[in-house]
Amino acid sequence: MIEKNYYKILGVGKEASPDEIKKAFRQLARKYHPDLNPNNKEFEEKFKEINEAFQVLGDEKKKDQYDQIGSSAFNSENNSGFNRHQPNFEDLFSDLGYDDLYNLFTGGNNTRRQDYEEGVDLRKDIEITLEEAFYDIKKTVEINVHQACENCNGTGAESKDTIECDKCNGTGKIKITKRQNFTQFLNIITCNKCGGIGKIALKHCSICNGKGKTLKNQNIEIKIPKGIISGQYLRLNGKGEPGKNAPSGDLYVVIHIKPHAEFKREDENLLLDKKIDLSTAIFGGTLEIQGIDKKIKLKIPAGTQSHAYFKIKKQGMSIIDSKKRGDLFVRINVDIPTLNKTKEKSFKTLFES
């Protein structure tokens, strides 16, 4: 038979105190417990090994025997062997309170499972203009959030008329014990009759119909940073649905930028189409255009071709989380006039000379 090092299995030294051994076992049990790792044979076998080590090292007499002889003292042929005793998982934690037993598998959170429900995240989509996206602006958004019913204070009962749940005896929790191989496991679940409240309404609240919650409109002011891009979102911590003895959810505000009548946006840059007459294209001139935030004078050189681009630096969109700006690209379209016969002759004379 292969000799087993129970100290190594639990990760403690021979000088470890009973409390240290128990603490080490609880930490490992929380990690490898089959209920938390369903259909994981490797963790199941690991838990059996941990449990076996604790059964020995957690018992003073067995520990002394193990220190003298080793794990062979606990093989199946030995009358005092380990396998003859099927350990009850609940007994292993008999010194823990009922809530502490749950805490073993929740990382030590003292909040009861049925009374702990994290708030749901909410999403709100809003539209802003391109000009608004250029500046830092504030917007007020309206959301619907569930809150405790004011009529019943969240109990769901009319006039607080409740009785203790007969299924969980008012604890809101139900213990389910199941056996797997040689080990008995204790599972704690929310009572499905009272929903974990521990009480049952004799008459449902007329306002919330027994749900304990009602929808309420809330107005929330948000700050939208300059340079934001369509599709980006703002996360407002704790502005979602309220939690139950737990943090509230978050509110995600998704920004959509309306199409602009003149500008097209490509990331931090702007594209603008502008028409010039044939005379300006041929002889040059100055074109006044309206930028995103101010008027700009653009010099058009003589001989400008249609669809020529002019780059105006630092006249594009604001760049988010920066003091910099993108560029403005102006695409020129030469407007070719329709000529009457007199003008047509003049043009022909001009170009033939």
Side-chain angles (χ1 to χ4, degrees):
M1 181 178 180
I2 300 175
E3 187 69 21
K4 297 181 181 180
N5 189 332
Y6 291 147
Y7 291 105
K8 185 176 181 180
I9 290 172
L10 293 183
V12 298
K14 287 188 176 182
E15 70 284 355
S17 66
D19 287 340
E20 290 173 333
I21 292 173
K22 188 178 295 185
K23 181 180 179 181
F25 168 68
R26 288 172 179 169
Q27 290 176 342
L28 292 171
R30 182 164 57 239
K31 179 179 179 180
Y32 293 102
H33 191 280
D35 280 356
L36 300 180
N37 303 279
N39 302 320
N40 190 324
K41 294 296 183 181
E42 182 181 350
F43 275 38
E44 181 181 332
E45 293 302 318
K46 182 67 176 177
F47 183 80
K48 292 177 185 178
E49 189 178 51
I50 294 165
N51 190 29
E52 178 181 341
F54 177 70
Q55 286 285 296
V56 174
L57 299 184
D59 184 291
E60 187 175 350
K61 292 182 179 180
K62 290 181 180 180
K63 181 176 179 297
D64 289 341
Q65 190 176 3
Y66 170 73
D67 289 339
Q68 295 176 15
I69 305 175
S71 63
S72 58
F74 304 96
N75 60 40
S76 59
E77 296 177 358
N78 192 305
N79 290 334
S80 60
F82 172 79
N83 290 329
R84 291 184 68 247
H85 300 87
Q86 294 185 354
N88 185 309
F89 187 71
E90 189 172 1
D91 292 340
L92 297 179
F93 297 92
S94 58
D95 62 320
L96 294 175
Y98 193 73
D99 291 330
D100 293 327
L101 182 57
Y102 164 68
N103 292 338
L104 175 67
F105 300 103
T106 59
N109 192 325
N110 289 327
T111 307
R112 297 178 180 179
R113 185 190 318 200
Q114 65 279 353
D115 291 333
Y116 185 94
E117 183 180 340
E118 293 185 358
V120 176
D121 294 335
L122 297 177
R123 171 174 172 158
K124 180 71 176 182
D125 292 75
I126 66 169
E127 274 193 334
I128 63 173
T129 65
L130 187 64
E131 287 82 1
E132 287 176 322
F134 177 80
Y135 298 100
D136 284 319
I137 62 167
K138 292 182 179 179
K139 287 280 188 178
T140 299
V141 297
E142 182 181 287
I143 60 172
N144 293 322
V145 179
H146 283 96
Q147 293 186 342
C149 176
E150 295 179 356
N151 184 56
C152 65
N153 293 321
T155 64
E158 194 71 37
S159 303
K160 298 181 181 180
D161 195 3
T162 62
I163 58 172
E164 183 180 278
C165 176
D166 57 353
K167 188 169 185 177
C168 64
N169 296 322
T171 64
K173 297 170 288 191
I174 298 175
K175 296 189 294 183
I176 297 179
T177 304
K178 66 178 181 178
R179 187 175 300 280
Q180 188 170 355
N181 297 327
F182 63 85
T183 305
Q184 184 170 295
F185 299 102
L186 175 67
N187 193 19
I188 304 172
I189 64 172
T190 301
C191 177
N192 58 2
K193 186 171 184 178
C194 67
I197 298 175
K199 295 181 179 180
I200 299 174
L202 291 177
K203 184 179 180 182
H204 285 161
C205 171
S206 58
I207 302 299
C208 67
N209 197 30
K211 296 180 180 179
K213 296 179 180 180
T214 57
L215 273 176
K216 188 173 183 179
N217 291 339
Q218 283 190 0
N219 291 323
I220 300 176
E221 187 178 71
I222 62 172
K223 183 179 180 181
I224 302 176
K226 61 183 179 181
I228 196 164
I229 297 174
S230 191
Q232 289 185 321
Y233 61 85
L234 306 174
R235 177 182 177 183
L236 281 70
N237 292 332
K239 296 299 182 180
E241 290 279 6
K244 185 178 180 183
N245 293 321
S248 297
D250 298 329
L251 172 62
Y252 291 84
V253 181
V254 183
I255 306 299
H256 301 276
I257 300 176
K258 299 176 183 178
H260 197 275
E262 295 188 11
F263 293 108
K264 292 182 180 179
R265 181 180 184 182
E266 292 182 358
D267 298 326
E268 71 273 15
N269 298 321
L270 292 174
L271 175 64
L272 179 65
D273 283 298
K274 274 296 178 181
K275 285 185 178 182
I276 61 173
D277 56 34
L278 186 59
S279 176
T280 303
I282 296 173
F283 301 107
T286 300
L287 178 65
E288 185 176 81
I289 60 177
Q290 178 61 54
I292 189 69
D293 63 330
K294 65 179 182 181
K295 290 185 177 180
I296 304 168
K297 289 185 177 181
L298 176 63
K299 186 177 180 179
I300 305 296
T304 294
Q305 302 296 310
S306 191
H307 297 98
Y309 278 91
F310 291 90
K311 178 181 177 181
I312 306 176
K313 293 183 178 181
K314 300 180 181 179
Q315 290 302 314
M317 288 295 293
S318 303
I319 299 176
I320 196 167
D321 296 328
S322 172
K323 294 182 179 180
K324 298 179 180 181
R325 291 178 61 174
D327 301 322
L328 171 61
F329 293 86
V330 181
R331 182 168 59 187
I332 297 300
N333 294 297
V334 179
D335 188 14
I336 306 297
T338 301
L339 304 177
N340 55 33
K341 291 184 178 181
T342 302
K343 289 184 178 180
E344 185 178 339
K345 289 180 180 180
S346 299
F347 269 91
K348 285 183 177 179
T349 301
L350 176 64
F351 288 110
E352 288 175 355
S353 61

